[in-house]
Amino acid sequence: MERGASSNGISQDPIPDLSPAQRLQEKHVADAAHRPMVEDAIDEEDIVHPPPSMKAAVPVAPTAVEEVQQPFSEKAAGKQKAREEPVESASKANALHPVILDTKSEDAFPALGRGPKSPAQASVPMAWGARKPLGVANAVPNGVNGQGPLSSTSRASTPVSGKPTPASTNASVASHRRGPSIPQYIPIPGRHSERIQFAPSQLLPRDQLKKPLNDVLRNINKKSKATVEMKSGPSGTIIFEGTGPVDAARQALRDVAKEVGSKQSVKIPIPLSVRPHIIGKQGSVVQGITKRTGARIQVPRAEETATPNDDDDDSLTIDVTIEGDAVAAEMARREIESIVNERTSTVNMRLRDIPEEYYPFIAGPHDARIHALENGRQVKVHVPEYHTWSGQPPPQAPAPGLLPQFEPNRGSHIRISGDRAAAQEARLEIERQVEQLRREITLSQLAINRGQHQFIIGDQGTSLHDLLEETGCAIILPPSTDDTEMLTITGPKDNIELATEKIMNLATSMHMASIDIAKQHASAPAGAQAHARALTQYLQRRQAIEQLERQFDARIVLPATEDSPMNWEVYSRDGKNTIRARSDIMNLINAHPPTRLRQVPVDPFYHQHIRQQAAQHIQDQFGVNLLLPEQNIHNPQVILVYEGPNVLSTSDYDLPRQRPTPAEVAQFERALRQAEAHVQSLIEGRQQLGSRTFNVPSKLNDKIVRQADREQQNLPPTEIPVQVTSVSAKSVNGNPATGETQRVSEPVEHIVTLRGQDDMVDDLAQKLMVFLERAKADELERGHVTSFEFPQKFANYLIGRRGENINKYRDEFDVEIQINDGKVEIKGPVAKADLAKAKITALGKKLEDEATHVLKIKPQYHKDMIGAKGAQVNRLQDRYNVRVQFPRTAANSSDDRSVADGASEVGGSRSNRSNQAPDEVIIRGPRRGADEARDELLNLLQWTIDNSHTSMVSVAQSQLPSLIGQGGREMESARLATGAQIDVPGNRDSPDSTGRVPIQIKGTKKQVEEATKLLEQKSKAFDDSVARAIDVDKKYHKALIGSGGSNIRNLVLAAGGSDDRRELARTVRFPRPESADKTIHVEGSKAVVDKIVAAIETFVNQRESQVTEFLEIAPEKHRLLIGRGGETRRGLESQFHVSIDVPRMSDEGAARSRVKLVGEPADVGSAKAHILDLVKEQEATTIEVPRRLHHAISDNGQFFRRLRNDHNVTVDHAGQQPPAKPSGGSRSRRNDGRALPLITDERDDINGHSWETVDNDEGQPEDGNITWVLRGPRENISKAQNALQKAMEQAGSQQQSSIGYLVLPDPRTYRFIIGQGGSQINTIRRQTGCKIAVPRDQAKGEAIEIVGSKEGIEQAKDIILETIQNSGS
């Protein structure tokens, strides 16, 4: 390379006018470069970590400023590191002369000229160079020089980095690095030299300089520690060389560029998604770039660059404008591109300019081409399916020899995501395919019956993929909402005919049947077509069409428009299915005659009200389904269809398929009349509907509509809100409104219409007119601006996430709010601006009072402290009006969602989880509340720690059912006994290789220890347990179990088993009585099981050797064998080890007197002899007792009990019915109807008692006798007979002539009458000679009955009252 050549903008020309000595020195230096020594070799460590002199201490643009090294002496030079590369002839000059970088070079400074020049080797363009969102070109920039407020919708989350940004990786830098390397030397302190080179066009004209150029350099040299000299460069360029300390030289050159360089304006495209990271939090990043480089940076406002639903599209770009001198602009560009590179290592792109008609060819048959694009690349490609157009039909077939012009659909895009380079490769490949398709693809149109379209598509589009694979063509079908039958075939011209032939083959393979629905009910009162239309609408709502299609694998095509004849068309590949489907449809139609449907005309204004108030009631009350128009909102017809009661949902209702009977038709009509009457009742009695129209300026239209909604928010459910509609209009002229609204000459852009009940319309119209006038007046003050200070540190909180807080203030007060570097500007009416100012000022004061506590809490406690769905923390937030923020982790992200988002008015903008450590919990709020919340949270933490002791017990999975118990009773009992939390694995948890599963225990240390001990004991017992099965004849099961399980319980206890009822049931399990199974299962420890099995076998052996005998015993003596409550029988069975079966009273004939004995022969014999002796000793004596004395003698059963207890004699009446009790008096009277006292009440005064006497002869039974049969031992019968005779004499005397009924105010005092062991009442009986009966159920307030002479009962009453009085003293 010759000396004058240059590469990549690096000048190689020597500085002219060198002296001979300088030329000689240059030659020596060049020769020395070809004699490297071992010491000169570059260490690998130095390559990875170069010395400080090789790094820029200040981020000066590397392409604009380069180091210049002064030559060393031979001794010093020999100690230096070798250069990075072998130095050629061109590098020899660089060894002597400073490297000069041409700022005019487009390669070195692509941002300063007309744009970067793509290197030849570059195979892909920038990933974000596709397109810009609408409105970017004229966007108003914000964040200029990093100053000023951010947009309210901008939320910067990128932290400010204080480190220099990495070197750019764009094309210009790559081009520069491919040139000859620049030698690096260790500079001599104080002799560092760097240069910058300017083209004349990059310098200010002389007349625009503030001072002459020499004066500028002189001033800079005077202020700086470095010296700057100006020299002439090649091609008229000017070189400024700075010599001195590194920082001083670079700063001096920057000062030169600032003073003499012309201002450059550069626009660089960046992805829209990177915009927040360029701006930074409150503009910190863009401000830092401006401060470091001196360039002015303008970023378009967010609201003017945002595109809906495009946040994930990195192909959308915006232009960032950089203004400044050449050096400053290049440095700023490098830093911005570094941020872009860092944030876009992976990209999401949308290809928006590709017509949908190309999508099937880009994807390929069965997405083969997509798979090929993704194979081996870190990229995902999504091509939307396209076989049915929507909104944008394909173009018409072109003239012969021409290709169609396909247009892209803005609602459907190809998406590419993944590694940036791989995504670019995929994008280029797709664009290459598109260019090829533009030259090859044509189209043809073919009319095919609409019902056959679905079968051309096939299941999940399989037919389309097969067609594309076989013919290379695709099909585009019309949507179901369009009535056209034309389908479009796209593909290469030579393949269109083949595809057409295949499509026709698919279409003609279908079978079709047509059904005229209207013809089936031609005499419908509302008209055949109207009835058919209503029935079709009903069946569609009931999803009957879809059910028929699934049932018969068919396609049912309905009329495309409401006005079309109601002909249904059924298509199927199987002709039999077509016939079946048609037959089923006919059954459905016949089952829904006009009598089952009724159309009721109702003004559409009431439709929504009827839906809310009547639909469910009509369904529940009358069994009628109510259908309202959905597509045509102006259709007044409400359809009523009878379905029957108890229809809850579509899936619960089976559509009828049989013609209704006359009785059913009558039921239909009755229910439909009632339903119609109910619908009419909802609208009857309401005022007449009316409407009002008034004109609104376009800019106030939205405000009027919102105000109308606000005015009707609190209407009761029975009131129907006024409907508000708004349409645009050019002016009132030609579209006149009411004369009372506005002048005809006033231009109007919107007409608002109110429709509803007259009074409500008038009231709302009046309010809206007042609001409109006020809004117009506010517009006159719209230019008023109020400014005030607001703490800059809280600006983010005022803005809110995505501007939600500031937008809320804007809507609430109807003002414009801007935030600019600690100052808030409110633009709008004075009163509203003042209210907004007060609200924002109050917010600032609240935030100033705010305190923040950061608690270090280990993550394992977070879930318990948060609670289920954030219950614990939400309670703290509500109580103390604070925000408690836990770090979002995988463990608690679902639970703390409610905690993290929206705890307060500004909470939405205050989440800073990205900087929150995993063990940090942040409490933020008013100082007092934050302090209290912190203390409570720490207490909760301590409680959680105390209750976070854990343990694990391994048990066999087969033991889980017994541990849990029926309905979880066993496990709940263990939890209550220990207080620990015990988590049992579920059925889906797999056991380990040994068949065991872990049970987790959590709680306090003591609780965990107790629960662990309990479960380990149960586990050990289960592990040591064995199970045995023994076959026992079913006839022995009942005896083996015993009465109430007594036998088996005694048997288990004797074997050493547990007395617990549940444990007992698990130890021995009998088959169900109704089962034929005879196997008894025994489970437990081996020793216990062996003993139980042995005992059962012994029992069975004994039973097998038992004999059965029958004894003839008179039925009247059976009671002697049974005893009271079966006591005697059980005693005999226990004494003689036999089973005694006494006949029931319901038995008849010989069986009534046969007593069965079962047992060992010897035992049966002993029991038989004892029973015969017991029965033989019994004798019976019959005594006739006057019926009138029966109750006086029996004394409420007391006499019978005395005979049985004293003489072992029982009494019966030989089957006769005892006489009725005397009716005089009542023992169930209460004390004047008052409520009974509580046990804690004070005792009532004894004078509140009730006393009543009656003659004992009143109401006595008729004359006659009743038989008393006395049975018992012979020697005792006479004693009992004497006692009865004496009782009869006493009852017949005059002493029993009266009965007294005493009711005490407090039944609790009855116990004092009875006394200990009955001593007191027996004393009263002896003293008075009266019979006294104290009621058992004293709580019911029954009377004390006293029977005797009149004097005796009075004496007894007095003694009783005295006894009670003395007991209370």
Side-chain angles (χ1 to χ4, degrees), residues 213-512:
L213 187 54
N214 292 332
D215 292 345
V216 171
L217 295 178
R218 188 180 303 109
N219 290 340
I220 291 175
N221 290 335
K222 185 177 180 181
K223 293 186 298 182
S224 175
K225 295 181 180 180
T227 301
V228 180
E229 296 180 357
M230 182 181 66
K231 300 179 181 179
S232 298
S235 303
T237 59
I238 304 298
I239 298 173
F240 295 93
E241 179 179 348
T243 305
V246 176
D247 294 343
R250 290 176 176 171
Q251 184 59 47
L253 291 177
R254 280 202 294 267
D255 293 341
V256 170
K258 184 177 179 180
E259 292 288 339
V260 304
S262 62
K263 299 300 180 183
Q264 305 289 323
S265 180
V266 182
K267 289 186 177 181
I268 59 173
I270 67 168
L272 180 61
S273 60
V274 183
R275 178 187 179 277
H277 306 291
I278 297 295
I279 296 174
K281 188 176 182 180
Q282 301 183 18
S284 57
V285 175
V286 74
Q287 290 175 11
I289 297 174
T290 298
K291 185 176 180 181
R292 289 190 295 273
T293 65
R296 185 170 182 265
I297 303 171
Q298 301 181 31
V299 183
R301 289 185 182 274
E303 58 267 24
E304 302 195 23
T305 61
T307 303
N309 302 324
D310 284 344
D311 292 341
D312 62 340
D313 187 5
D314 292 328
S315 61
L316 291 178
T317 63
I318 58 174
D319 285 338
V320 175
T321 303
I322 303 174
E323 297 179 354
D325 59 74
V327 175
E330 175 63 14
M331 293 167 62
R333 182 181 68 83
R334 295 288 179 84
E335 291 206 31
I336 291 174
E337 288 188 349
S338 174
I339 295 174
V340 170
N341 292 336
E342 179 183 355
R343 294 289 174 178
T344 57
S345 58
T346 59
V347 295
N348 295 288
M349 295 188 294
R350 297 191 185 193
L351 308 186
R352 304 168 183 270
D353 299 327
I354 299 177
E356 289 180 299
E357 289 79 4
Y358 295 157
Y359 287 177
F361 305 99
I362 294 173
H366 306 287
D367 296 334
R369 292 187 175 179
I370 293 179
H371 299 327
L373 281 175
E374 295 177 345
N375 189 23
R377 296 187 177 97
Q378 296 180 358
V379 68
K380 291 292 182 182
V381 180
H382 173 71
V383 179
E385 289 188 1
Y386 181 67
H387 53 70
T388 303
W389 63 266
S390 61
Q392 178 177 303
Q396 296 295 323
L402 299 179
L403 292 175
Q405 297 296 321
F406 298 109
E407 297 295 333
N409 186 351
R410 294 193 174 275
S412 176
H413 314 124
I414 296 177
R415 296 195 299 271
I416 305 175
S417 60
D419 179 74
R420 184 170 60 184
Q424 275 301 107
E425 292 179 7
R427 175 178 179 172
L428 287 177
E429 177 61 25
I430 292 174
E431 290 176 346
R432 185 193 63 76
Q433 293 181 28
V434 170
E435 290 303 319
Q436 182 178 355
L437 292 172
R438 292 186 192 276
R439 297 190 297 269
E440 297 177 356
I441 298 301
T442 185
L443 64 83
S444 175
Q445 293 182 326
L446 181 66
I448 293 182
N449 199 308
R450 291 181 54 84
Q452 297 169 315
H453 289 185
Q454 184 67 27
F455 295 97
I456 295 175
I457 297 175
D459 296 336
Q460 299 181 352
T462 54
S463 297
L464 299 181
H465 286 286
D466 294 340
L467 179 71
L468 181 61
E469 187 174 18
E470 295 175 11
T471 67
C473 295
I475 307 173
I476 305 172
L477 303 176
S480 59
T481 56
D482 194 278
D483 57 356
T484 181
E485 294 183 345
M486 301 296 294
L487 57 80
T488 303
I489 306 170
T490 59
K493 180 179 179 181
D494 298 337
N495 298 356
I496 291 290
E497 187 62 31
L498 177 61
T500 303
E501 185 70 21
K502 184 170 181 60
I503 291 170
M504 288 191 295
N505 292 337
L506 288 172
T508 55
S509 64
M510 302 299 121
H511 297 267
M512 190 271 283

Side-chain angles (χ1 to χ4, degrees), residues 79-99:
K79 295 181 180 180
Q80 304 308 313
K81 299 282 185 182
R83 297 176 176 83
E84 293 181 357
E85 296 180 3
V87 182
E88 304 298 336
S89 58
S91 300
K92 298 177 183 178
N94 293 339
L96 178 63
H97 299 291
V99 177

